[in-house]
Amino acid sequence: MKVEIYSDIACPWCYVGKRRFERALAAFPGAEDIQVTYRPYELDPTTPAEPAPLRERLAAKFGAANLDGMNARLADVGAGEGITFDFTQALAVNTLTAHRVLWLALTEFGPAAQAALKDRLLAAYFTEGENVADHDRLTEFAVEAGLDRDRVVAFLASDEGTDEVRREIAEAREMGVTAVPTFVFEGKWAVQGAQEASTFLQVLEQVRDQSAESAAPAGDGDACADGSCAV
């Protein structure tokens, strides 16, 4: 079974969704036959390459009055999945370069390396307050995930992968992906949002049995309020 997960490093619900989907996989017989691929998506392509406090950017976009409640809810949900969200340290920064390294991980090192790097980048962004656009830090994260240091350094010094990543992002929008995370099963069924692990498990079983006609998107696409982050 092929599962493609459209997500952004700057999306907290993508972090939650990754953890929940992995729990579902752990409970799914035949999980070793499932190929999971992370596809790029930019919630805000206009985010500058220079980092700035995430809290300030979110307050400007969604309103400071709503921010504390949103962050508190995410902190509670994250804690339930073993995730520590620290929005006081998180830095808003353009994620295109990080997506390029994820593309490299998949293309040359395989899905397992890509998944490990995805997890590392999400932790760096939301827990550690790291600049995920910084080439030196990206190199370290990639090496921790099993990528070759020299290859990553050379890759980041070039424009390699830029066109491919931008094309994948454009294709996602053409497919109708407007919020992340979006999980696409076998190229046919789409589930949107950080669903509970039990829901993901049910979808996996339905796809396996080829009995599901469709998987309806969840959430209303309102900012980052209901299990997904919208543009």
Side-chain angles (χ1 to χ4, degrees):
M1 185 190 305
K2 183 178 181 180
V3 182
E4 295 171 283
I5 305 174
Y6 293 83
S7 65
D8 193 4
I9 298 143
C11 167
W13 287 109
C14 293
Y15 201 176
V16 173
K18 183 177 188 296
R19 287 290 175 87
R20 288 177 172 176
F21 184 72
E22 288 171 345
R23 284 203 286 120
L25 276 182
F28 181 69
E32 65 277 3
D33 296 324
I34 297 178
Q35 178 183 337
V36 179
T37 301
Y38 288 90
R39 299 298 185 193
Y41 196 89
E42 285 185 285
L43 283 170
D44 187 358
T46 69
T47 304
E50 290 299 319
L54 176 63
R55 184 178 178 83
E56 293 179 9
R57 191 168 181 87
L58 291 178
K61 188 172 183 179
F62 302 122
N66 300 319
L67 201 56
D68 287 340
M70 288 171 55
N71 289 348
R73 182 191 174 203
L74 276 164
D76 287 343
V77 172
E81 302 297 334
I83 298 169
T84 300
F85 283 115
D86 189 345
F87 295 102
T88 63
Q89 291 194 85
L91 298 173
V93 70
N94 192 281
T95 57
L96 181 64
T97 303
H99 283 302
R100 285 178 55 219
V101 183
L102 286 165
W103 174 86
L104 173 69
L106 176 65
T107 303
E108 298 189 12
F109 298 90
Q114 189 197 41
L117 179 57
K118 182 77 170 184
D119 206 63
R120 186 66 190 90
L121 289 171
L122 287 164
Y125 189 101
F126 285 109
T127 302
E128 301 165 12
E130 292 274 10
N131 176 5
V132 297
D134 180 81
H135 286 198
D136 290 339
R137 298 306 296 143
L138 277 173
T139 299
E140 294 306 317
F141 301 146
V143 170
E144 289 177 30
L147 279 65
D148 178 76
R149 180 182 298 275
D150 291 341
R151 177 66 179 111
V152 176
V153 169
F155 178 83
L156 287 171
S158 72
D159 291 327
E160 190 178 352
T162 301
D163 290 343
E164 290 84 351
V165 169
R166 284 180 171 156
R167 182 168 59 249
E168 287 191 21
I169 292 171
E171 289 172 352
R173 294 184 186 276
E174 290 172 3
M175 285 171 51
V177 177
T178 59
V180 287
T182 293
F183 300 75
V184 179
F185 298 80
E186 291 288 271
K188 299 178 181 179
W189 299 285
V191 174
Q192 188 183 93
Q195 303 292 331
E196 295 291 342
S198 58
T199 300
F200 282 130
L201 181 58
Q202 182 181 14
V203 173
L204 287 167
E205 292 169 346
Q206 289 176 331
V207 174
R208 178 198 60 197
D209 298 337
Q210 299 182 354
S211 62
E213 294 181 1
S214 65
D220 59 10
D222 181 15
C224 288
D226 291 307
S228 64
C229 294
V231 178

